[in-house]
Structure formats: C-alpha cells, structure tokens
C-alpha cells in the first residue's frame, strides 16, 4: 500500500437496498465496518430507482458530515434485491419494476459522483459471511459448497464453491408445492401470518430440505434479522448440511457491498 493510500482512513462505502430500509456504512482500509457509521434510512415508498438514488445521495452527505471527511474518491458498493448482471438489474421482486433493465451503475454513478459497483443483496451478504464471517475459518472461506440464505422480506441466496461465488442464484423463487418459496418461508410471513415458531419451522424444513436436495451444500449460513432468534428454530431443523447463523446479521449486505467496491 502506498503512503498516500494508507493515509486515507476510509476505503469504501456500502449501501444495502431493501424493501423497507437502506442500510449503510463505511469500511476502513482493513475492510472493517466503522461501527459509528453503520445506520439506516427509510426506503422511499415503492423504491423507485430515482427516489432511491436521491436518498442514497443524502446518505453520502450524512456520512461526510459524520466522518468529517469529504470521502473524495471513496467508491461505493450498492446492493439491489434482484438479479444484477454487469451493473444492469434484471429482476425486482420487492422493489419497483422500473429497476428491471435499468443500468443501475450508470444511474448511481451520476447521482453519487463516484465509482459505483452494484450487486445482488444476498451475494453481497454471502461474500461478507464467506470471506470473514460464519462461512470462514481463520480468515479464509471454508472449503466445499456453502449456501448463504437471507430470510427477510424475500429469501436471498448466495452459493459458493471453495469461496468462489456463483452469482445471482435465485433459490428464493423455487416453486415448491405450487407456490413461490419466499411467499411461504421468508421471515416476513412469521409476522404477516402470525405464525408460531413450530409453524415456521415446518415451512423452513420443507424449503431447506428441497434446496439441500438440489445443490447438496456442506454448510448453510442463515442470515437476515431472524437469525438473531436462531436458537428458537435452528436446532430443530433436520438437514445433512451443517447449519449456522450468520455472523454479521443486518450489516452483512453493507460489508459485502463495500468489499466489492474496494476490490473493483
Ligand atoms: C430477490 C432476490 C433477493 C432476495 C432478498 C428476492 O425476492 O429475487 O434477488 O436477493 O429477494 O432480498
């Protein structure tokens, strides 16, 4: 690292777009989240791209004030809850359809005045877990097949073989028993349908058994806010794979997005 680079305390900004909130934070040169910068803003109703881009610009100015730095030249990584190929969004299950076909990198680069990388939210969370969290050991990805699932508004999935990401895997949209899997097993249904843990475990078991049958992971990492309650459901799941809660929980998307921006 050059002396000039090491003098810059902030390496990248991570913005994690969800249906209800945009989580954000800054990482330092070591790739660690600067905890005091981790926060969230409300996603504008409907999550239209232009409205989201404007909120993201406000977030950057808040981060500038908070850090006392103009964050000049600090790149930003942005997650989107949809398929992202070369910066273009190709699906939008829980956000405005205007994202579909949109060059999100071009939109956000113009709005945020800095280099932008865009990736799927679960891929970002998965990278944080596999490189430095529950899917890693001694600072390296655990060898074998690792599936990271985020259970939230939808079901996000990220699939890795020996630390290599197979991007844009959409296991939340498997059709199981005639319905889109995430409409039955995402964490939001617990509240929406007022499910008991036993009822939710039954749905999760059905879902995870099917996914395990399809891709035979060695390790399954469960993320999303529900993973904080892992003791209530994880011990009862019967799977061949080892199953563990995520380490970063709701900061994983921000971390993974920032890491992507650092390494872009
Ligand atoms: C989307 C995925 C996303 C997941 C979690 C699904 O509905 O299709 O791309 O990763 O929700 O947000």
């Amino acid at each position: 690292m050059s002396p000039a680079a090491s003098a810059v305390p902030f390496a990248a900004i991570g913005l994690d777009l969800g249906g209800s909130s945009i989580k954000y934070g800054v990482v330092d040169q070591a790739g660690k989240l600067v905890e005091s910068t981790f926060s969230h803003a409300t996603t504008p109703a409907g999550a239209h791209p232009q409205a989201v881009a404007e909120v993201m610009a406000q977030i950057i100015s808040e981060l500038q004030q908070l850090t006392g730095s103009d964050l000049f030249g600090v790149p930003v990584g942005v997650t989107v809850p949809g398929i992202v190929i070369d910066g273009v969004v190709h699906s939008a299950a829980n956000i405005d359809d205007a994202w579909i076909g949109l060059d999100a990198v071009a939109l956000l680069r113009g709005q945020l005045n800095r280099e932008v990388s865009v990736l799927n939210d679960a891929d970002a969370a998965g990278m944080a877990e596999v490189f430095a969290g529950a899917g890693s050991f001694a600072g390296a990805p655990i060898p074998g097949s690792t599936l990271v699932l985020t259970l939230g508004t939808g079901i996000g999935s990220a699939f890795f073989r020996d630390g290599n990401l197979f991007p844009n895997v959409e296991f939340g949209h498997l059709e199981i028993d005639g319905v889109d899997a995430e409409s039955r097993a995402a964490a939001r249904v617990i509240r929406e349908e007022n499910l008991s843990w036993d009822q939710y475990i039954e749905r999760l078991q059905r879902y995870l058994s099917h996914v395990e049958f399809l891709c035979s992971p060695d390790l399954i990492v469960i993320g999303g806010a529900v993973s904080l309650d892992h003791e209530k459901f994880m011990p009862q799941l019967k799977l061949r794979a080892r199953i563990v809660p995520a380490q970063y929980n709701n900061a994983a998307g921000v971390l993974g997005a920032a890491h992507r921006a650092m390494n872009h």
Side-chain angles (χ1 to χ4, degrees), residues 16-19 80-84 91-95 120-123 150-158 168-173 180 182 186 188:
D16 183 21
L17 171 62
V80 171
I83 297 166
V84 184
S91 72
N94 297 303
I95 49 173
N120 171 264
D121 58 353
D123 284 352
T150 60
L151 305 177
T153 310
I155 296 181
S157 50
N168 292 308
V169 165
E170 287 282 345
F171 284 160
H173 296 292
D180 197 30
E182 72 174 21
R188 80 159 155 194

Side-chain angles (χ1 to χ4, degrees), residues 13-15 75-80 84 86-87 104-105 108-109 112 114-120 256-264:
I13 299 163
L15 300 170
V76 59
V78 176
T79 78
V80 171
V84 184
D86 296 334
V105 166
L108 294 168
R109 198 192 273 144
L112 308 179
R114 61 195 64 236
E115 277 310 311
V116 174
S117 316
V118 179
L119 75 167
N120 171 264
H259 288 177
R260 170 63 66 89
M262 276 174 86
N263 298 316
H264 196 64

